[in-house]
Every structure is written in C-alpha cells, then in structure tokens.
Amino acid sequence: MIGASWSCTNLEYDNQDSQLSEASGAGSCSPDIDAVISSVYAQIGNYIQGQTNTFALMEHTSDEMIGPTRGTDWSDNGVWRSLHAHNWDPTHPYVLSAWNDLNSGLFDANEVVSCSQNADQEAEGRFLRAFFMYHLVDFFGQVPIREVDDLPSVDPRVLSRADATAQIINDLETAIAGLPESTEVGVATKNAARALLTRVYLNRGVYDAGDPVGPYNFSAADMDKVIEYADALAGYQLEDQYFNNFTPDNGENSSELIFSIPNAPGNIVGAGDGPQNCYFMTLHYNQNPSGWNGFTTLADFYNKFEDGDQRKGGYDWPGLTDVSGLQPGFLIGQQFDADGNPINDRSGSPLIYTADVKLSGNTENTGIRVIKYIPDYSNLNAPGNDYVLVRYGEVVLNKAEALLRKGDAGGALALVNELRAARGAAALSSIDEAGMLDERGRELYWEGHRRTDQVRFGTFLNAWSEKLQSPPSRVLFPIPQQAIDSNPNLVQNPGY
C-alpha cells in the first residue's frame, strides 16, 4: 500500500530520477524564518507519519512487523518482502525517499539556525536540525550538510557518524537554554530536547563505533547523561490506561506525550499520510474501518506478551468496540462486528486471524493485526490523533537501560517493574539485556523504534520468521546511487 491510496497496489519497484534536496541550495536566507520553521514542522508530518519511508525502514526490517503478499495484493514488486528479508539495495524506493525527505528537512532546519533573527528561532532550529540529523545518522551513518549560502555547484560536506552525533548533542544541549519550559507536545521544548538527548546518548556507543556492526562501547559517562536528562523531565507520568497515549484526543489528555505531530480532526499536519494509515494498513476490508488488509506482526513477537498486559489488548474500549467490534492491541482469532456477530472474509468464510504468516502465498486471514492508534470514527480519513514521536514510557526505559548498562540491574529492574505495574503486567524477578529488549518491544511496538533497538542490542542480523541471518552490512542502509552520483564527498556504505 503506497501513500494514501486505499486499495492494494502493484508498485513499480522503479529507480526514477529524483532531485536530491541536499543538492539544491537556495543561496540566501528566507525573509520569513517563522514561515520556514512552520514548514519544517510540516515536513515532519509529511515524512514521519504513514507506513512508508522512515516507518518502513524502521519497522519492516525488524522482528515485529511483516508485509505479507496475499495473492497479488501487496506484492508491490517486492518492496515489503525485501525489507523484511534484508535484501534491499541502493535502488529501494523507500531508502531513496527516506534519504531525500530527511535531507530536505535537515536543509530547511539548517536554514533556520543559520538565518535566525533571535535566540528563540535559533533554539527551535537547532532542535529541528538535530531531529532530522538523528534519523540520518541512525539509518545511513553519514550526513551531507549544505549551507544556506552554498550554490548548487558546491558539493555538500559530509559529516561522519561520530561527528554528526556530536553535532546532534551540541545542538540539543545548546537549544535547551532558548526553548520554553513546557509540556506542549507539538513544538520543540526543553523537555522534548531532554527526552531526545536520552535517546541519542543511549545510542552513542553504536554511532561512535569504529565498525557499524560493533563491538559497541556504552560508556558510563554517556549512560550518566541518559539518566541526567531523564531525571530533568518534569510534568509527565505513566498513563493508567496504555492506549490513552494513542486516542483521538491524546494530544490534550495523555500524560506521556512529549513531542508529537499535533493533528486535529479534519486537519492532518503536512501533506502526507496521517495516523489513519496505522489502522487502514492492517485491518481487513470487511472490518470497520474498512482497511487494506496489509501488515501484521509475527507470532514470536506476539508471544512475548502475557495475558493481562494492557499493551497486548484483547479488551473492550469505549468508542471503539461498541462502534466497530474492534479491540485495541493485537487482533487474533475470530473477528466480530459491533453487535457481536462474526465477520466473514470476502469469500464468505469466517474472518479468523491466524498466527501463521509468510512473506508470500497468504490468504486473507493470515497474520495477527495491530490496532495501536484508536480510530476516530467522526474523522476516519483525517483523525485527531497526535502521531507520537517521543513519549515518557520510552524515556523511562531509556533510563532503565542506562542503569543496566552501568551495572545497576536492581535500579533498572525497579524502573521496568514500575512501568509494568502501570500496564497491568506482573513484576519481573530479574532483568538482563535480553529482557530489556523484550520490554522495549512490548512498550514501543509499531512506534518506530525497533530496528534501532535491535541494532543496539546486537540482534538485528539474527534470523527470525521468514528471514535468514543477515550480512553485517545490513546494520546500515545504503546511500542511494543518485546521491553518490551528485556528491563525490559521499562514500557508499560497506557491503553495497
């Protein structure tokens, strides 16, 4: 399924020419920097929401999502299968579009910093520049920088992974002084910068490694910074009801959202997809809302959840179950409508979601579906759900992992069990790296974290359902060939 087209596709896996954003310098400052800032926020809405580009690179390459082909539905010339099997190459359309989109956002954010007219604009620009640069560092391991006054004839300089990480940290730490002390969720704030710093410092051992595959050195100093910035957050607490973080009014009512795309009913931020894709992309045609019958989770991932854990779902939710028969979380087994009647598939057979799922040769009912964002039935195509980018549950786990990596397993366990208690899950008796990765999966599934987490914990190259052991090169994505051709300062990542 591509973009906002509401039917299955046969996407041309095509390598069309694309104007690379980092090669299109404007040569001067915009006279209206506030308008540029607004456009950068809109670009986050364009590029981060939806099921393609950055989301596809993060989730379809991980052990918690698969894009199964059902007959010819979702074949799309192999774009989903290649991501799951780690068989992508420099021509993959989502590798190219993610690269272009992130660099476009980075260029505009860099203009804000370079052309800022006051300290507030500069601070906001630094946060936004760090946000886009973080994703480029994580996915591609190098970052081209075009200054606002560079002409198109100038080849952008390229920051190494370690240097770009240092720049991200500098930007965020410098920005904190000029950002507002606020819990507003749709703009850059001190809290948003602190929370993003916990993520960057947690991954710094990966980004500074001499070899992208590792070994990684998670220094005590970096882990101390994770803890410091996590403790500096103020005004947040864990939700008693997990899915309050993903309702149509989550931007106003969730106590966990720190930075989000602030959608409003009937008004999706940016020109791209919105949170509606999160339910359309997984639900069957005969459910409410009628979906595209696409992506599912894997049985091994689903089996990490215990009964009673709110995050697993399987219980009624007002405004959802009474309207559609759906329940939040994972959908498995016979599906029902709002009146409790069994739903059939298009052939008239019972719509029974099964745990078994393959990359190809599936029927309509294979695969466990996921409802993370609660549909807004008054605005199904443009719902009011804020799209979550950073929330407090992640920061709690970032701090817990930092404690664990410092050797304080007891402190880490206490934080994890505090989180699990809020989610209705039983306390753990101990915690190690494998258990920490599992807990991050249970808390953050389908939110755009899993690939990064698996790389950091050393499991990303492992074999799992429908995927063989991956070559070491897969810990980074390739630089698109058009980018290599247009900028000789870029060097292709090893293995491509």
Side-chain angles (χ1 to χ4, degrees):
M1 181 58 60
I2 305 304
S5 173
W6 294 359
S7 62
C8 293
T9 68
N10 253 325
L11 176 72
E12 293 289 335
Y13 191 142
D14 191 6
N15 184 19
Q16 298 180 5
D17 291 336
S18 175
Q19 179 63 42
L20 294 174
S21 55
E22 84 274 8
S24 56
S28 62
C29 290
S30 168
D32 189 348
I33 296 302
D34 284 332
V36 178
I37 292 173
S38 296
S39 76
V40 177
Y41 283 115
Q43 287 181 75
I44 296 176
N46 289 344
Y47 306 154
I48 307 298
Q49 297 187 109
Q51 81 273 22
T52 60
N53 299 357
T54 58
F55 182 85
L57 297 192
M58 186 64 75
E59 293 294 347
H60 277 277
T61 61
S62 79
D63 66 353
E64 65 181 27
M65 180 177 281
I66 186 171
T69 300
R70 308 175 191 279
T72 59
D73 283 354
W74 292 94
S75 177
D76 292 349
N77 281 334
V79 294
W80 310 110
R81 295 192 299 272
S82 64
L83 290 176
H84 184 86
H86 289 197
N87 289 331
W88 59 78
D89 63 28
T91 71
H92 195 286
Y94 297 150
V95 171
L96 174 61
S97 56
W99 171 268
N100 284 347
D101 291 348
L102 293 170
N103 274 291
S104 176
L106 175 61
F107 177 81
D108 287 347
N110 195 49
E111 180 183 356
V112 174
V113 177
S114 301
C115 302
S116 59
Q117 297 157 346
N118 55 62
D120 291 347
Q121 287 179 344
E122 180 184 345
E124 199 161 15
R126 284 183 180 273
F127 175 88
L128 293 168
R129 182 167 70 180
F131 180 85
F132 281 103
M133 192 179 292
Y134 161 77
H135 287 88
L136 285 164
V137 163
D138 189 71
F139 286 149
F140 299 103
Q142 52 188 298
V143 179
I145 299 293
R146 175 173 289 286
E147 304 301 343
V148 67
D149 56 353
D150 284 345
L151 296 176
S153 58
V154 176
D155 295 325
R157 62 190 174 94
V158 175
L159 296 180
S160 69
R161 202 177 202 191
D163 287 346
T165 302
Q167 178 67 61
I168 293 166
I169 290 170
N170 178 265
D171 270 345
L172 291 172
E173 292 183 335
T174 302
I176 287 176
L179 292 172
E181 188 75 75
S182 168
T183 56
E184 187 176 356
V185 298
V187 296
T189 64
K190 292 185 192 303
N191 282 323
R194 292 164 182 152
L196 192 53
L197 278 163
T198 70
R199 188 186 297 179
V200 177
Y201 272 114
L202 191 65
N203 285 288
R204 193 175 191 179
V206 176
Y207 302 154
D208 281 1
D211 186 334
V213 184
Y216 307 132
N217 174 33
F218 301 100
S219 72
D222 285 343
M223 298 304 100
D224 284 340
K225 282 293 188 180
V226 176
I227 297 165
E228 173 190 338
Y229 284 115
D231 288 344
L233 289 176
Y236 304 95
Q237 62 183 21
L238 294 170
E239 279 285 344
D240 292 334
Q241 293 294 327
Y242 177 71
F243 289 100
N244 283 343
N245 294 311
F246 308 100
T247 58
D249 59 0
N250 59 343
E252 296 79 26
N253 295 325
S254 169
S255 61
E256 291 192 36
L257 269 60
I258 299 173
F259 185 51
S260 66
I261 299 171
N263 298 306
N267 184 21
I268 298 299
V269 173
D273 301 326
Q276 69 273 15
N277 281 41
C278 294
Y279 42 80
F280 285 137
M281 70 187 183
T282 191
L283 290 175
H284 187 272
Y285 311 106
N286 291 346
Q287 291 185 284
N288 181 14
S290 175
W292 305 324
N293 204 38
F295 308 146
T296 81
T297 196
L298 299 169
D300 287 345
F301 184 78
Y302 171 78
N303 289 335
K304 296 180 185 296
F305 292 78
E306 66 187 61
D307 291 341
D309 188 334
Q310 292 178 9
R311 300 168 296 190
K312 184 178 183 179
Y315 48 85
D316 290 354
W317 188 271
L320 175 67
T321 312
D322 54 321
V323 174
S324 66
L326 293 172
Q327 297 176 326
F330 296 92
L331 306 180
I332 187 170
Q334 175 66 56
Q335 300 301 294
F336 299 91
D337 64 19
D339 296 323
N341 300 310
I343 296 174
N344 294 330
D345 65 19
R346 292 183 296 179
S347 71
S349 299
L351 181 61
I352 300 174
Y353 288 147
T354 63
D356 61 295
V357 64
K358 301 174 290 185
L359 276 175
S360 59
N362 294 277
T363 59
E364 288 187 13
N365 66 316
T366 52
I368 303 166
R369 314 307 169 90
V370 172
I371 292 294
K372 195 75 183 267
Y373 285 83
I374 306 299
D376 179 355
Y377 284 95
S378 63
N379 295 278
L380 280 175
N381 299 324
N385 314 62
D386 274 21
Y387 194 90
V388 179
L389 300 172
V390 185
R391 64 179 176 86
Y392 187 59
E394 178 205 347
V395 176
V396 170
L397 287 173
N398 291 350
K399 179 180 176 180
E401 185 181 332
L403 289 169
L404 182 66
R405 293 192 183 279
K406 286 193 65 180
D408 185 0
L413 179 64
L415 275 181
V416 168
N417 280 337
E418 177 185 336
L419 177 73
R420 289 176 61 81
R423 307 312 188 207
L428 301 176
S429 59
S430 62
I431 192 75
D432 58 11
E433 286 196 18
M436 187 66 72
L437 178 61
D438 283 349
E439 195 62 36
R440 291 186 68 88
R442 286 186 285 263
E443 179 66 21
L444 302 171
Y445 67 92
W446 285 35
E447 291 183 53
H449 296 275
R450 189 61 173 178
R451 172 195 161 273
T452 304
D453 288 351
Q454 286 197 275
V455 170
R456 189 172 66 256
F457 281 91
T459 68
F460 186 66
L461 302 178
N462 293 354
W464 54 77
S465 178
E466 296 290 296
K467 173 190 171 295
L468 302 176
Q469 180 77 20
S470 303
S473 61
R474 301 295 122 161
V475 297
L476 286 175
F477 290 105
I479 308 300
Q481 190 58 50
Q482 292 101 317
I484 298 286
D485 293 342
S486 68
N487 183 2
N489 293 327
L490 289 164
V491 178
Q492 187 56 272
N493 286 323
Y496 294 103

